[in-house]
Amino acid sequence: EIVMTQSPATLSVSPGERATLSCRASQSVSSNLAWYQQKPGQAPRLLIYGASTRATGIPARFSGSGSGTEFTLTISSLQSEDFAVYYCHQYNNWPRTFGQGTKVEIK
Amino acid sequence: EVQLVESGGGLVQPGGSLRLSCAASGFTFSTYSMNWVRQAPGKGLEWLSYISRSSSTIYYADSVKGRFTISRDSAKNSLYLQMNSLRAEDTAVYYCARTTVTPGVDAFDIWGQGTMVTVSS
């Protein structure tokens, strides 16, 4: 099983600032990596797939990069609606696995 | 509107069974593979099971293999999860999630709102 490790567990950021979230895979997942946003009481929402492609309707301030074992999600200028938990997800191997999440909170 | 709506959750005793349903609407259900994902209270996401468009390919997480069974009925636009031998650690919100239609992109682009399963005596 591929273990996905996200860091940091919590990120405190002021509105308007840049946020950088990391995700590391225990073995290569190529570019088969997605990012999701989840707000309290809501289902996850797909942000990024293929490591760097924004899903439909996702604002340009969200960007993804990386391949192999190291991935990054960047939110260029945090808006109030971006404070949430973010999960990475590898779909290169079975079983599919998620990272444990990074909570982005207001500083 | 593209939508997935789960149902069937509730309180069940350890060792009991429950069948979850996921009703799909707003898209051609038969052309998408589907998944079940769960989230224990205050915890992260755990993928549970996958079923291909034709039901010919099915995968399970080790944590539920032999206890849970995924199935689908394209005539009813529905996905199911039969859960047997339930344990306290199965307590979670259960989501159904659609795999993207793009070949090679098995991300989950549509999620239901979830249904809560509580396993307790």
Side-chain angles (χ1 to χ4, degrees):
Chain A
E1 171 176 318
I2 296 177
V3 177
M4 307 300 291
T5 303
Q6 292 186 241
S7 61
T10 303
L11 187 61
S12 298
V13 185
S14 299
E17 290 189 340
R18 181 187 196 93
T20 303
L21 289 66
S22 295
C23 175
R24 173 176 292 177
S26 60
Q27 65 187 76
S28 176
V29 298
S30 187
S31 293
N32 296 316
L33 190 285
W35 290 94
Y36 303 86
Q37 176 194 68
Q38 187 179 35
K39 297 179 181 179
Q42 296 185 17
R45 176 175 72 143
L46 177 64
L47 298 176
I48 300 285
Y49 62 88
S52 60
T53 303
R54 279 188 302 277
T56 303
I58 301 303
R61 64 180 181 272
F62 291 92
S63 64
S65 63
S67 66
T69 62
E70 300 285 343
F71 301 89
T72 300
L73 175 69
T74 302
I75 311 171
S76 60
S77 176
L78 270 157
Q79 307 298 303
S80 57
E81 61 268 29
D82 300 336
F83 292 96
V85 179
Y86 292 83
Y87 294 95
C88 61
H89 160 221
Q90 68 81 19
Y91 51 89
N92 193 67
N93 287 60
W94 300 99
R96 304 315 196 201
T97 48
F98 291 89
Q100 81 281 14
T102 290
K103 181 179 181 180
V104 178
E105 64 177 23
I106 301 175
K107 186 174 183 181
Chain B
E1 180 191 5
V2 173
Q3 199 172 9
L4 296 170
V5 178
E6 300 94 338
S7 61
L11 175 63
V12 61
Q13 292 188 340
S17 298
L18 214 52
R19 189 196 196 205
L20 304 183
S21 299
C22 170
S25 60
F27 65 98
T28 306
F29 179 69
S30 61
T31 63
Y32 289 84
S33 57
M34 298 293 296
N35 303 267
W36 286 99
V37 178
R38 71 183 176 186
Q39 186 169 37
K43 302 297 184 182
L45 301 169
E46 179 187 15
W47 171 83
L48 298 179
S49 186
Y50 162 95
I51 187 168
S52 64
R53 294 173 294 175
S54 64
S55 303
S56 59
T57 301
I58 287 174
Y59 295 105
Y60 296 100
D62 285 347
S63 59
V64 303
K65 197 176 297 182
R67 300 188 299 125
F68 290 11
T69 302
I70 192 172
S71 62
R72 64 189 295 163
D73 185 338
S74 290
K76 295 183 178 179
N77 290 334
S78 292
L79 175 72
Y80 305 101
L81 187 67
Q82 177 66 43
M83 304 187 296
N84 299 330
S85 303
L86 283 162
R87 308 165 180 165
E89 54 265 36
D90 295 319
T91 295
V93 174
Y94 285 72
Y95 296 101
C96 59
R98 187 182 82 172
T99 305
T100 78
V101 73
T102 305
V105 180
D106 286 355
F108 305 156
D109 62 350
I110 301 294
W111 296 65
Q113 86 291 348
T115 187
M116 182 70 202
V117 172
T118 302
V119 184
S120 174
S121 55

